[in-house]
Amino acid sequence: MPDTVMDSLASEFIFAQSAQGILITDKDNRITRVNASFERITGYSARDVLGQDPSILGSGMQDDSIYTDMWQSLQSLGSWQGELWNRRKNGKVFIERIAIARRLDSEGQLQGYVGIIEDFSSKKVETEKLRHASNHDSLTDLFNAKYFNLAMDMMVEESRLRQKGFAVILVDVSQFSKINDLYGREFGNRVLKAVADRILNCVREDDVVSRLSSDVFGILIDHIKDMSVLETFLNKLAAALRQKEGASLQFDVRIGAGLFGLAASETDKSTDLLQRVSQSLEYAKKHYHDSYKIYDQGVSDSARLNAVIFNEIGRGLRQGDFSLHYQPIVSPERDIKFEALLRWQHETEGYVSPLDFIPAAEQTGEINLLGMFIVESACQAIKVWRDKCDIDVTVNINLSVVELSRRDVYSHLLEICERYQVSPAQIGIELTESANLLEMVKYMDDFNRLRQVGIKIAVDDFGCGFSSFSYLQKLPIDTVKIDKLFVDDVVTSDRSQKLLAGMIKLIEELGFSVVLEGIETREQLQKLACFKQVSLQGYYYSRPMPFESTFTWIEKNKRGLICE
């Protein structure tokens, strides 16, 4: 069989069996043949399209310039390939990948064109899905950290060229791990989606919003001309994020921000700017009265102080820079009880807040050294009061859950009590409600052992966290210290009075004693006079005082002058 016949048979076989659609036109660009795959892809039969211009497939969605480029390429190069939006017979639009070539006779004269088409819709969709997934967070559909960093790099470079301001903002969902622990991951996901939606409602279409980690969101806002514009936006954002959707979806956030790119001298990398905004976020988280903090020199000083704290807690203990201050807890029985509060007077930085050094000590492990220092100092003070004042004083100390995980609190506490001949019943332990309840429950046996030797356990700051009544149900406690938040408005608000009365009644019916924190005025004291069995603590009686000042207070208490 001649080669030309074989070639012709092979061409016919390929034409008929190809999975790709094939159409052939004459020199006037009228369709003369199509194969079965063309019919399957387009929905048009051969009878529908024979004699028709291929533009019958047009969707009307394609820019005319692409057809101009196509014909120019066919005339100059003899071929063209690309992607076109076309329309099937049923009206549905699809993406096709098409390659077109001229057909010439043996003398080089144009005979027509042949086009090979492939339905690219599914592949295009999958490609777009992969591209989307690589740049977006699967839960919130916001951009992810990778995209955020790339966008920030571009914004930094553009600001250097054009000297225009831009803002970098970080939003942290406060105590998100506790939300997950107490209410479950499904509820936590609802919170994250709500935060994402509220942020999106505050930004412009071109702004970048990302979820950077489990509970931190990032925002990039371009064309910020001055600080007032940024402050206006942050106030709007904070207000939107504070909105409550009933009792079932409430959460709190802290915001760190920075305005960059306005000064021609700025040469910092995006990583440096992000670090500064992170410092602003940490500042906002520590100073809880602020919803947001914009990076400034104060934030820089705070970050520098944090570095000092991390490096010098141990040295401060060795040099005697730490001490205990004592704040009285006034009980109906007039027995004398103090809460011991740790203070750090740094040799160069001055007073360092416990809000700064306690979290640092928990991270470095030096919380164990601080804890032992507190117990030893408290026991030593109890012994001195007994020897000099002939009185038994009880001291409450604050215990970090990190201490429970890193040392035998029970053995250490009993050993120190024995050394100073102090009864364990003269030591009370306060657990802050901001601690993780699930972590606390792990140490149930430790708490029971402490209670068996007479040590009373109290929950501090009750009512300001997520797990208030879960503590009462699950932990072996004796006393509930109601946070000052519920005392602040008791003079002016009937609702606050009723709420506080209801809490006290419920707690007492459960068998716990009650301490009210934050008593600051005589008017508050008068409003609280109806609660006969409640202990009181606050500045009205005394600010936390150094050990030397406690003797005067003890003498006043003996003479009955404290409550007057």
Side-chain angles (χ1 to χ4, degrees):
M1 189 176 293
D3 289 344
T4 54
V5 175
M6 290 290 292
D7 289 345
S8 178
L9 289 173
S11 297
E12 285 297 321
F13 180 82
I14 292 171
F15 182 85
Q17 300 299 321
S18 174
Q20 296 171 315
I22 302 174
L23 72 156
I24 298 172
T25 70
D26 59 21
K27 63 182 179 181
D28 296 322
N29 203 33
R30 299 291 175 181
I31 297 174
T32 59
R33 290 189 69 186
V34 296
N35 69 350
S37 291
F38 175 92
E39 294 178 316
R40 172 178 54 79
I41 292 171
T42 66
Y44 286 101
S45 67
R47 182 179 300 176
D48 293 329
V49 297
L50 291 181
Q52 299 287 337
D53 190 288
S55 61
I56 192 176
L57 301 173
S59 66
M61 296 172 58
Q62 205 80 52
D63 190 87
D64 288 342
S65 62
I66 195 168
Y67 295 110
T68 301
D69 293 340
M70 179 183 74
W71 284 111
Q72 288 178 351
S73 180
L74 285 171
Q75 290 171 8
S76 60
L77 302 176
S79 64
W80 179 86
Q81 60 181 358
E83 295 175 8
L84 295 175
W85 288 92
N86 277 340
R87 192 180 301 275
R88 306 185 204 273
K89 186 178 180 180
N90 63 10
K92 291 184 178 180
V93 174
F94 71 104
I95 304 172
E96 69 174 21
R97 177 173 284 175
I98 183 168
I100 306 174
R102 290 184 304 192
R103 292 191 304 115
L104 304 177
D105 62 17
S106 58
E107 297 180 357
Q109 297 300 309
L110 179 68
Q111 294 296 301
Y113 302 90
V114 59
I116 299 175
I117 66 172
E118 179 182 4
D119 186 353
F120 199 54
S121 299
S122 60
K123 293 182 180 179
K124 190 77 171 179
V125 168
E126 290 303 315
T127 300
E128 287 301 317
K129 284 182 179 178
L130 289 173
R131 182 181 294 116
H132 186 88
S134 70
N135 290 319
H136 289 75
D137 170 59
S138 58
L139 176 66
T140 62
D141 205 40
L142 299 177
F143 290 115
N144 57 20
K146 182 186 79 171
Y147 186 92
F148 182 87
N149 291 331
L150 290 172
M152 189 172 174
D153 287 339
M154 293 175 62
M155 205 168 279
V156 169
E157 288 301 319
E158 189 174 358
S159 75
R160 285 175 182 159
L161 294 173
R162 303 185 182 180
Q163 198 176 330
K164 60 178 183 177
F166 65 94
V168 182
I169 301 166
L170 296 178
V171 178
D172 176 85
V173 182
S174 300
Q175 299 182 328
F176 181 69
S177 61
K178 183 181 290 188
I179 294 175
N180 263 345
D181 289 341
L182 291 174
Y183 303 115
R185 187 170 297 277
E186 183 178 348
F187 182 84
N189 288 344
R190 284 180 57 202
V191 168
L192 294 175
K193 290 178 180 179
V195 172
D197 290 342
R198 294 180 191 186
I199 293 174
L200 289 173
N201 287 335
C202 293
V203 300
R204 303 165 301 189
E205 186 176 353
D206 293 337
D207 297 331
V208 175
V209 181
S210 302
R211 182 183 175 206
L212 303 181
S213 63
S214 63
D215 56 357
V216 177
F217 296 80
I219 308 170
L220 298 175
I221 301 181
D222 208 356
H223 303 289
I224 301 289
K225 62 181 181 179
D226 57 40
M227 190 65 74
S228 65
V229 175
L230 176 57
E231 289 176 343
T232 299
F233 173 79
L234 291 175
N235 284 321
K236 173 185 174 183
L237 178 64
L241 292 171
R242 279 197 300 266
Q243 288 178 359
K244 296 181 179 180
E245 297 179 16
S248 61
L249 190 58
Q250 299 181 19
F251 50 85
D252 194 14
V253 299
R254 291 292 176 266
I255 304 169
L259 177 59
F260 308 107
L262 293 176
S265 59
E266 282 190 13
T267 59
D268 295 305
K269 298 178 181 178
S270 58
T271 52
D272 299 326
L273 305 184
L274 193 59
Q275 183 180 19
R276 294 180 189 174
V277 178
S278 297
Q279 292 171 358
S280 297
L281 178 61
E282 289 303 313
Y283 188 97
K285 288 161 72 174
K286 288 179 181 177
H287 299 77
Y288 57 86
H289 55 279
D290 293 327
S291 294
Y292 67 82
K293 179 62 181 177
I294 301 173
Y295 181 84
D296 58 16
Q297 188 58 43
V299 173
S300 178
D301 292 342
S302 178
R304 181 187 56 77
L305 176 59
N306 285 340
V308 171
I309 290 169
F310 269 94
N311 293 324
E312 298 194 12
I313 292 175
R315 189 172 75 169
L317 276 170
R318 292 190 297 273
Q319 293 183 171
D321 294 341
F322 285 91
S323 63
L324 291 187
H325 282 210
Y326 299 88
Q327 186 172 36
I329 301 173
V330 179
S331 70
E333 297 82 13
R334 298 289 181 88
D335 55 355
I336 297 179
K337 180 182 291 186
F338 292 106
E339 179 182 357
L341 300 163
L342 187 61
R343 297 293 183 257
W344 184 8
Q345 190 69 26
H346 191 275
E347 60 181 353
T348 58
E349 301 295 334
Y351 173 74
V352 181
S353 169
L355 294 174
D356 292 323
F357 70 75
I358 293 296
E362 289 179 336
Q363 291 183 47
T364 63
E366 290 169 310
I367 191 67
N368 298 328
L369 297 175
L370 292 179
M372 287 188 284
F373 170 81
I374 292 170
V375 174
E376 185 145 358
S377 298
C379 286
Q380 188 175 16
I382 291 171
K383 184 178 185 301
V384 173
W385 287 321
R386 184 182 62 216
D387 294 343
K388 288 191 174 183
C389 305
D390 191 28
I391 191 168
D392 288 329
V393 177
T394 301
V395 176
N396 283 7
I397 62 173
N398 292 278
L399 183 69
S400 164
V401 68
V402 179
E403 292 180 74
L404 291 169
S405 66
R406 293 183 177 174
R407 69 183 176 97
D408 185 350
V409 171
Y410 175 83
S411 297
H412 283 131
L413 199 151
L414 261 59
E415 185 273 324
I416 295 172
C417 285
E418 185 177 350
R419 191 192 319 156
Y420 287 94
Q421 298 180 327
V422 169
S423 168
Q426 291 180 265
I427 298 293
I429 289 177
E430 296 191 9
L431 307 172
T432 176
E433 200 206 345
S434 62
N436 188 310
L437 175 60
L438 295 184
E439 285 294 313
M440 288 292 190
V441 170
K442 282 196 248 179
Y443 303 104
M444 193 81 76
D445 290 342
D446 297 88
F447 295 137
N448 284 324
R449 290 170 70 198
L450 291 168
R451 293 181 77 214
Q452 285 170 5
V453 296
I455 294 173
K456 297 290 193 292
I457 298 178
V459 171
D460 195 13
D461 302 330
F462 182 82
C464 65
F466 292 97
S467 54
S468 300
F469 290 98
S470 296
Y471 270 86
L472 303 190
Q473 180 184 10
K474 296 183 178 180
L475 291 179
I477 60 175
D478 303 281
T479 302
V480 175
K481 300 183 72 175
I482 297 177
D483 190 76
K484 73 182 293 293
L485 175 71
F486 297 93
V487 176
D488 287 343
D489 299 328
V490 74
V491 174
T492 58
S493 169
D494 289 339
R495 180 177 293 181
S496 294
Q497 294 172 28
K498 292 176 181 177
L499 177 60
L500 185 59
M503 290 176 67
I504 292 172
K505 181 180 179 182
L506 175 59
I507 292 168
E508 289 181 337
E509 287 180 351
L510 291 172
F512 306 118
S513 60
V514 176
V515 177
L516 295 181
E517 300 180 296
I519 312 301
E520 297 182 353
T521 66
R522 175 173 287 276
E523 289 75 21
Q524 288 175 327
L525 188 63
Q526 290 171 343
K527 282 288 184 181
L528 301 171
C530 57
F531 304 118
K532 303 297 184 183
Q533 301 304 313
V534 169
S535 298
L536 305 173
Q537 181 179 357
Y539 287 177
Y540 176 75
Y541 295 106
S542 174
R543 290 176 176 271
M545 54 187 143
F547 175 69
E548 296 78 13
S549 301
T550 60
F551 296 97
T552 301
W553 195 92
I554 290 172
E555 184 60 30
K556 284 184 177 180
N557 188 72
K558 282 183 177 181
R559 295 163 57 192
L561 301 177
I562 295 302
C563 296
E564 294 182 356

